[in-house]
Amino acid sequence: MISIVSLLVVIFLSILITRIATIALTHTGLTRESAKFQARSAFSGAGFTTSESEMVVNHPVRRRIVMLLILIGNAGIVAAVSTLILGFVQRGDASSLTLRIGLLIGGICVLWGFASSHWVDRWLSRIIDGMLNRFTRLNITDYASLLHLTGEYRLAELKIRESDWLAGRLIKDSRLRNEGINVLAVRRPDGTFIGNPVGDTLLQRGDALVLYGRIEAIEELDRRKAGFAGDQEHKEAVREQEEVLQEEAEKDASSGKRAD
């Protein structure tokens, strides 16, 4: 029984470690989807070869994160397999074996629900993001010398999928500036690079956008799907950006009064 519980603890720690690595990779500019894929690939040792993988390997901070994931993942997989074997080779009657199998399946279902929960994802992401901001220098290492990016503003890449809200829209029609997001460049699937794209640039499936803005707004945009719900999310994002601008204006006004 202890071996089954130990296995569930190993699985839980694996989920937690990949979640931390995912958020750490987003701090280096990867989109959340890309960061999640790369973190899980490195931890499991799947070794997918993609253009995104090359971006990870060629980036010093991302490379260190992935190397640590590979090391921990190898140890975790060995521990999980060993614990699983011990859990089922122990002597016992049929009822004991059934209980162990039931406990294992039930525990995995609970952990699956934990890993899939959007509420848990948001709650855990806020905690991990806050700890990374407080105890690491990922932002400074990657960006300060180039763009002096600080706080919640980041430079990130977003890849457009067929079902995304941005697919098939002109930049000017997307009104991303109203959400506080600036499109700095577009990279087409054929390798064409469009720097400082104009409003008439058509955004297509497979395009990779280089964006600058609040990381929370960029992550929400990355999750947004086409359709009525996506249009409503856009309106909500515009409203939130207006509140952000108002808060920044108030802070600027108060700091100006103190300076006088």
Side-chain angles (χ1 to χ4, degrees):
M1 190 69 68
I2 295 178
S3 58
I4 300 298
V5 174
S6 300
L7 176 61
L8 295 176
V9 171
V10 171
I11 296 175
F12 171 77
L13 291 176
S14 300
I15 294 173
L16 185 61
I17 289 170
T18 54
R19 184 66 55 83
I20 293 173
T22 295
I23 297 175
L25 287 171
T26 62
H27 275 247
T28 68
L30 286 180
T31 63
R32 186 173 182 80
E33 182 181 353
S34 298
K36 184 185 297 184
F37 178 81
Q38 295 301 327
R40 291 179 177 176
S41 298
F43 188 80
S44 63
F48 288 100
T49 302
T50 63
S51 58
E52 292 176 350
S53 300
E54 295 177 2
M55 292 169 59
V56 170
V57 172
N58 294 329
H59 192 289
V61 178
R62 295 172 187 167
R63 186 166 59 244
R64 288 199 296 270
I65 294 172
V66 167
M67 287 177 63
L68 184 60
L69 271 177
I70 294 173
L71 178 63
I72 297 175
N74 289 335
I77 291 173
V78 172
V81 172
S82 302
T83 306
L84 183 61
I85 293 174
L86 290 175
F88 289 97
V89 299
Q90 296 174 352
R91 293 183 178 179
D93 54 22
S95 61
S96 176
L97 178 61
T98 303
L99 179 61
R100 291 198 296 272
I101 294 176
L103 178 61
L104 178 61
I105 295 176
I108 291 177
C109 289
V110 171
L111 291 176
W112 180 267
F114 170 82
S116 305
S117 171
H118 294 297
W119 181 86
V120 172
D121 181 68
R122 289 193 297 269
W123 174 76
L124 194 58
S125 295
R126 289 194 188 99
I127 294 176
I128 296 173
D129 192 63
M131 293 180 66
L132 287 173
N133 279 324
R134 181 175 181 180
F135 298 111
T136 70
R137 294 174 60 85
L138 287 175
N139 293 344
I140 296 176
T141 300
D142 295 332
Y143 303 131
S145 62
L146 181 62
L147 294 175
H148 302 284
L149 302 182
T150 58
E152 59 182 351
Y153 287 89
R154 306 281 167 76
L155 189 69
E157 184 179 77
L158 184 150
K159 190 170 184 178
I160 300 178
R161 301 171 295 272
E162 187 172 2
S163 60
D164 283 354
W165 184 77
L166 286 175
R169 293 178 182 267
L170 300 177
I171 289 181
K172 64 182 181 182
D173 294 335
S174 67
R175 298 173 62 220
L176 290 181
R177 290 292 298 272
N178 292 1
E179 297 186 34
I181 299 175
N182 293 289
V183 182
L184 303 183
V186 178
R187 188 174 67 249
R188 303 292 192 192
D190 61 1
T192 302
F193 184 83
I194 306 173
N196 193 25
V198 297
D200 290 328
T201 301
L202 179 65
L203 303 177
Q204 307 172 33
R205 179 178 63 87
D207 288 350
L209 310 183
V210 179
L211 305 175
Y212 172 73
R214 292 184 299 113
I215 189 62
E216 183 178 344
I218 294 175
E219 288 179 350
E220 190 280 325
L221 177 64
D222 188 35
R223 294 189 295 266
R224 190 182 304 166
K225 301 300 181 182
F228 177 76
D231 294 337
Q232 295 302 115
E233 290 173 3
H234 165 69
K235 293 179 181 179
E236 178 65 19
V238 171
R239 186 189 63 78
E240 290 180 2
Q241 177 61 16
E242 291 173 351
E243 293 178 355
V244 170
L245 292 176
Q246 184 177 356
E247 291 177 1
E248 291 178 348
E250 291 174 354
K251 290 179 182 179
D252 184 51
S254 61
S255 62
K257 292 179 181 178
R258 286 196 298 268
D260 293 340

